[in-house]
Amino acid sequence: MVTITGDTYGYIRVSTREQNEDRQLIAMRELSIPEKNIFLDKQSGKDFERPQYRRLVQKMKADDLLYIKSIDRLGRNYSEILEQWRVLTKEKGIDIVVLDMPILDTRRGKDLMGTFLSDIVLQVLSFVAENERSNIRQRQAEGIAAAKARGVRFGRPPRPLPEKYHSAYRRWKAGVITGMAAAEECGMPLSTFRYRAETYEKNKFL
């Protein structure tokens, strides 16, 4: 049985794309952590500039105990996770328990071998968390590139061409009027007129 001498806290993080914090919240309540000691950020884990996390760190003191559901709830940046873990455990003297990985419980194995094993596991898990984040970004980029190659367009659809555009375009293309005159006739900047002309030609609207 591990004796707790300080206060107990829980930290929950969900990204803005994943609003459901229930699983983490249930886990914290099952540990009988006071509601006032549960801190929740709905924010990306790319860095530690999160308001509730900052409040939590300021409030905790030596011998307090912090629970998190999994290592990626703490963050997703490999080097920053390790730095925060060092600050909390070494500088502030706080114990941390990662519920999904019982070996990451700083209350146990405080001898040299226990600390060594815990540090190795933390580094591996932190690397895995960041590597998965990088893989997700790469898959997203590849998916967008593949979609663009298929002709899928992203962002807002372009505004319809003005009624005068076809006439102005043909006269500009024939050299009857300048590009500036054609753009003014269509009520758009010259750069926009030329950009729309490229699209106009590619899609064979003539």
Side-chain angles (χ1 to χ4, degrees):
M1 184 72 178
V2 179
T3 303
I4 301 173
T5 58
D7 294 323
T8 304
Y9 294 87
Y11 179 67
I12 297 171
R13 183 186 65 79
V14 292
S15 71
T16 53
R17 299 178 302 277
E18 164 200 311
Q19 294 295 326
N20 188 0
E21 67 271 15
D22 292 348
R23 186 175 69 92
Q24 297 177 69
L25 193 55
I26 290 171
M28 299 302 168
R29 286 172 175 166
E30 287 177 348
L31 294 166
S32 300
I33 299 175
E35 291 288 332
K36 64 182 179 66
N37 287 355
I38 298 176
F39 291 76
L40 166 65
D41 276 312
K42 292 188 177 183
Q43 193 170 333
S44 166
K46 67 179 181 178
D47 56 45
F48 285 87
E49 295 303 320
R50 310 176 213 137
Q52 292 303 309
Y53 180 78
R54 289 299 182 189
R55 282 189 58 217
L56 169 66
V57 173
Q58 290 176 358
K59 189 172 182 180
M60 288 189 298
K61 59 188 184 303
D63 297 323
D64 284 346
L65 174 62
L66 173 64
Y67 285 98
I68 56 175
K69 189 74 173 71
S70 58
I71 193 66
D72 63 346
R73 296 305 88 195
L74 186 61
R76 289 188 178 276
N77 182 293
Y78 172 59
S79 59
E80 289 193 4
I81 290 174
L82 296 178
E83 174 61 16
Q84 285 299 309
W85 190 279
R86 184 193 66 77
V87 169
L88 293 174
T89 60
K90 302 296 193 294
E91 294 185 10
K92 293 186 71 74
I94 295 163
D95 278 313
I96 305 176
V97 175
V98 180
L99 296 174
D100 287 352
M101 184 60 62
I103 195 172
L104 287 177
D105 181 344
T106 61
R107 299 170 301 174
R108 307 176 187 276
K110 287 185 178 289
D111 60 346
L112 183 60
M113 181 57 69
T115 301
F116 175 71
L117 291 174
S118 181
D119 285 348
I120 288 178
V121 172
L122 173 64
Q123 290 191 40
V124 170
L125 291 177
S126 300
F127 173 78
V128 168
E130 184 181 13
N131 193 55
E132 177 59 20
R133 181 167 169 259
S134 297
N135 288 339
I136 290 172
R137 286 201 305 266
Q138 181 177 348
R139 288 194 293 269
Q140 288 174 337
E142 290 172 352
I144 291 172
K148 286 182 176 179
R150 295 194 306 269
V152 177
R153 295 183 180 182
F154 295 88
R156 295 179 179 178
R159 293 180 178 179
L161 290 171
E163 293 181 5
K164 297 180 180 179
Y165 190 87
H166 184 76
S167 173
Y169 172 86
R170 292 182 63 182
R171 285 182 287 126
W172 166 68
K173 202 70 175 174
V176 176
I177 60 174
T178 65
M180 182 64 73
E184 290 179 357
E185 190 173 317
C186 295
M188 59 178 61
L190 177 59
S191 58
T192 302
F193 177 84
R194 287 178 173 168
Y195 172 77
R196 297 302 294 270
E198 291 179 7
T199 306
Y200 193 70
E201 293 166 359
K202 288 179 182 178
N203 289 279
K204 299 179 180 179
F205 288 144
L206 295 177

